[in-house]
Amino acid sequence: MDVIELLPRLHLLRFPVGQAYLWRDGEELTLVDAGTAGSGRPIAEAIRALGRAPGDVRRVVLTHFHEDHAGGAGEFAALSGARVLAHRLDAPFVRGELPGPAPRFEDWELPIHAEAAKHLPAGEPVRPRNVVPLSDGEVLDFGGGARVVHVPGHTDGSIALFVPDEGVLFTGDTVAASPVDGSVMPGVFNLDRPRLLDSLHRLAALDADVACFGHGGPVVGGAAGVLREAADRNPVAPAGD
């Protein structure tokens, strides 16, 4: 796992598939997403390498239920005592009470998904005992007030987190950066692509300076303009189409 400082208060944790983010408020930490199953201990080790303790993490906020984002949440929560939070529509899948719905793959996405699946660990992840349900518009106690933005499309319960005091936006998989050229694009492997594009436009309307994606390199500086350009390239279909 690679650990990359993006800002003095923000680190990127990069896994073989996907990534998570560590936010610092004084002595308190927040983890956004938690990697695949088995990532709990590597995350704890990375936090110790930064001179902190896993117990400094007060909350793990999951952008959605997919394994590469939520698989490590239960293990890390057990190690750290952190609470796990997810949107109310995705929370049952995070807890393992129900199987989550599969994406509706575009034909061109199938070989990409097959390649990514090779890097996912086998077996069931450790499920968090409790998951705090979130709703659109809630304000979480980190970053001076991080707003929950419901962005359905990738999953029904996908969320972004916007920290307006810092201009930092965590998009989850609603937005991604291409591994080929770094261009910003709508996320892939979606449940409902038209809803995802509508969510992309909602995020593009925010005044973000830094955009942190679930996959691909973040945009550090001028993120709002980059997101607007991505939205302009991917218009929302008119109602009735």
Side-chain angles (χ1 to χ4, degrees), residues 19 21 64 69 151 154 158-160 169-178 183-188 190 196-197 199-204 211-217 219 223 226-228 230-231 233-234:
Q19 49 210 26
Y21 296 89
H64 60 290
H69 292 256
V151 284
H154 186 65
S158 285
I159 61 169
L169 175 64
F170 301 93
T171 71
D173 280 0
T174 299
V175 192
S178 167
S183 60
V184 173
M185 55 185 279
V188 296
N190 301 305
L196 176 109
L197 294 180
S199 292
L200 166 61
H201 281 253
R202 185 180 184 190
L203 295 183
C212 300
F213 310 128
H215 300 270
V219 175
V226 174
L227 290 171
R228 284 193 293 269
R233 292 193 301 271
N234 295 275

Side-chain angles (χ1 to χ4, degrees), residues 102-175:
R104 296 170 182 166
F105 294 108
E106 305 278 343
D107 288 345
W108 62 270
E109 295 176 335
L110 290 171
I112 302 172
H113 183 265
E115 181 61 30
K118 295 177 183 177
H119 301 281
L120 295 176
E124 272 292 301
V126 176
R127 300 291 183 178
R129 294 182 179 180
N130 297 296
V131 178
V132 179
L134 299 174
S135 297
D136 185 52
E138 284 192 53
V139 178
L140 305 183
D141 190 21
F142 75 92
R147 178 158 60 92
V148 175
V149 184
H150 184 209
V151 284
H154 186 65
T155 68
D156 286 338
S158 285
I159 61 169
L161 298 168
F162 183 47
V163 184
D165 286 357
E166 306 287 342
V168 175
L169 175 64
F170 301 93
T171 71
D173 280 0
T174 299
V175 192

Side-chain angles (χ1 to χ4, degrees), residues 25-39:
D25 288 299
E27 298 303 310
E28 184 174 298
L29 303 175
T30 297
L31 184 66
V32 179
D33 287 330
T36 60
S39 296

Side-chain angles (χ1 to χ4, degrees), residues 10 16 32 53 57 65 67-68 74 78-79 107 132-133 187 192 240:
L10 177 63
V32 179
V57 178
F65 75 84
E67 179 184 348
D68 55 328
L79 289 169
D107 288 345
V132 179
D192 187 331

Side-chain angles (χ1 to χ4, degrees), residues 13 29 229:
L13 310 181
L29 303 175
E229 290 173 1

Side-chain angles (χ1 to χ4, degrees), residues 1 14-18 36 39 116 119:
M1 180 177 65
R14 181 169 286 153
F15 308 103
V17 177
T36 60
S39 296
H119 301 281

Side-chain angles (χ1 to χ4, degrees), residues 40-83:
R41 291 193 181 279
I43 292 171
E45 291 167 4
I47 290 170
R48 292 188 185 100
L50 291 171
R52 307 302 297 270
D56 294 337
V57 178
R58 298 291 187 268
R59 63 193 66 79
V60 180
V61 188
L62 301 176
T63 60
H64 60 290
F65 75 84
H66 286 163
E67 179 184 348
D68 55 328
H69 292 256
E75 179 187 4
F76 182 76
L79 289 169
S80 64
R83 296 185 303 155

Side-chain angles (χ1 to χ4, degrees), residues 4-12 20-24 30 32 50 168-170 210-212 218 220:
I4 302 165
E5 181 178 298
L6 302 178
L7 300 171
R9 301 173 66 179
L10 177 63
H11 283 79
L12 164 67
Y21 296 89
L22 188 68
W23 179 271
R24 178 177 60 81
T30 297
V32 179
L50 291 171
V168 175
L169 175 64
F170 301 93
V210 176
C212 300
V220 181

